């Protein structure tokens, strides 16, 4: 069964450094999402992406964050200058189309900012 | 805006006993409801979903949930739990279209041998 994959599974970085989290959505899916889960807290929406542009973003998704679909398969989340509070599990998700509402989640990347 | 409330942060239950994990939602428009499970150190796996039709939906691993529009609830049930059901369970809602999924805070199910 096709699945969403994410790399790396764990990323450790120093405060102020840039990180790029990578996701490969399911191949025929058209909608892409990033969520994060700070330890012990709920899963929070960051951004949705469709047709090569952001369709919605949360207040968490400030100028330090950006997303890109650089080719036909990858979907990336970049954090320009990481802060301690960016430490979280980041989940990528994809959805096939507008009518089917189920989002398929990847296994997550645990980001630790020291 | 939609929101989800999971009333229990932790639910301990003995193996082979029944369990109910409660979820209430709030929205001014029709919503689509989901339960996801997260096993330790893993991602989110869809257990079941309610989109339309029958209000009783069956999912994987013997779980089922009932959509109750008048009570704005979507409680998850299993008649007999196993040790392997120990995980965190998230209720979630979306308005449809390309809209985001809004998650509840999660309920940790601990199955006691």
């Amino acid at each position: 069964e096709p699945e969403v994959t994410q790399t790396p599974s764990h990323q450790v970085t120093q405060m102020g450094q840039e990180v790029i989290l990578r996701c490969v959505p399911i191949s025929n899916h058209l909608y892409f999402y990033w969520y994060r889960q700070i330890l012990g807290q709920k899963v929070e929406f960051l951004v949705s992406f469709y047709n090569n542009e952001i369709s919605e973003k949360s207040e968490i998704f400030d100028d330090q964050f950006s997303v890109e679909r650089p080719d036909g398969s990858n979907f990336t989340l970049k954090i320009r200058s990481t802060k301690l509070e960016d430490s979280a599990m980041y989940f990528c998700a994809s959805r096939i189309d507008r009518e089917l509402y189920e989002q398929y989640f990847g296994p997550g990347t645990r980001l630790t900012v020291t | 805006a939609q929101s989800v409330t999971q009333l229990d942060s932790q639910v301990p239950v003995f193996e082979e006993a029944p369990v109910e994990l409660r979820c209430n939602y709030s929205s001014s428009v029709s919503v689509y409801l989901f339960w996801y499970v997260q096993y330790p150190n893993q991602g989110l796996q869809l257990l079941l979903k309610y989109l339309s039709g029958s209000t009783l939906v069956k999912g994987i691993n013997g779980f089922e949930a009932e959509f109750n529009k008048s009570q704005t609830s979507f409680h998850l049930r299993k008649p007999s739990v196993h040790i392997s059901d120990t995980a965190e369970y998230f209720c979630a809602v979306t308005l449809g279209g390309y809209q985001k999924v809004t998650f509840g805070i999660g309920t940790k199910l601990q199955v006691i041998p």
Side-chain angles (χ1 to χ4, degrees):
Chain A
E1 186 176 330
E3 56 184 22
V4 177
T5 60
Q6 291 185 244
T7 54
S9 56
H10 191 191
Q11 172 94 46
V12 181
T13 189
Q14 289 189 325
M15 197 167 51
Q17 296 296 303
E18 174 184 286
V19 293
I20 297 177
L21 310 183
R22 299 179 195 279
C23 167
V24 179
I26 296 172
S27 64
N28 59 342
H29 285 195
L30 301 177
Y31 295 84
F32 313 109
Y33 305 82
W34 282 101
Y35 294 80
R36 79 170 185 192
Q37 184 184 29
I38 294 171
L39 189 64
Q41 298 186 25
K42 65 166 72 175
V43 178
E44 301 173 289
F45 167 77
L46 291 178
V47 66
S48 59
F49 192 85
Y50 170 69
N51 201 24
N52 283 318
E53 60 183 26
I54 290 173
S55 41
E56 186 182 0
K57 60 183 180 180
S58 72
E59 59 275 8
I60 302 167
F61 194 88
D62 61 22
D63 292 343
Q64 293 298 313
F65 292 87
S66 62
V67 289
E68 193 178 30
R69 189 155 162 81
D71 53 41
S73 59
N74 289 282
F75 179 51
T76 62
L77 173 70
K78 183 194 290 187
I79 308 175
R80 193 166 302 123
S81 176
T82 50
K83 307 191 244 325
L84 293 176
E85 54 265 37
D86 293 327
S87 294
M89 181 76 92
Y90 288 80
F91 293 105
C92 173
S94 69
R95 216 178 86 208
I96 189 167
D97 66 22
R98 185 180 173 83
E99 299 304 321
L100 293 174
Y101 305 118
E102 176 182 340
Q103 293 184 16
Y104 291 81
F105 284 80
T109 292
R110 181 169 297 286
L111 176 65
T112 303
V113 182
T114 61
Chain B
Q2 69 272 30
S3 66
V4 177
T5 303
Q6 290 184 249
L7 297 163
D8 306 298
S9 58
Q10 292 194 56
V11 173
V13 62
F14 286 104
E15 195 174 14
E16 297 183 9
V19 70
E20 178 180 83
L21 305 183
R22 296 180 292 168
C23 172
N24 287 87
Y25 69 92
S26 169
S27 174
S28 56
V29 298
S30 294
V31 296
Y32 304 93
L33 295 152
F34 307 87
W35 276 97
Y36 285 88
V37 60
Q38 186 179 31
Y39 297 103
N41 300 313
Q42 293 189 29
L44 296 162
Q45 182 181 3
L46 182 70
L47 264 184
L48 48 79
K49 60 190 174 191
Y50 172 77
L51 304 180
S52 65
S54 172
T55 56
L56 183 64
V57 291
K58 293 188 184 300
I60 62 171
N61 302 339
F63 284 92
E64 63 181 33
E66 185 155 21
F67 171 62
N68 187 319
K69 190 174 180 180
S70 61
Q71 296 186 5
T72 61
S73 67
F74 190 56
H75 301 332
L76 180 71
R77 300 186 186 102
K78 186 169 182 178
S80 174
V81 296
H82 300 130
I83 292 289
S84 58
D85 293 324
T86 295
E88 190 156 19
Y89 293 78
F90 293 92
C91 184
V93 62
T94 183
L95 298 180
Y98 59 76
Q99 295 286 335
K100 65 188 179 190
V101 174
T102 299
F103 287 85
I105 198 156
T107 297
K108 288 188 171 71
L109 175 63
Q110 184 188 4
V111 180
I112 305 162

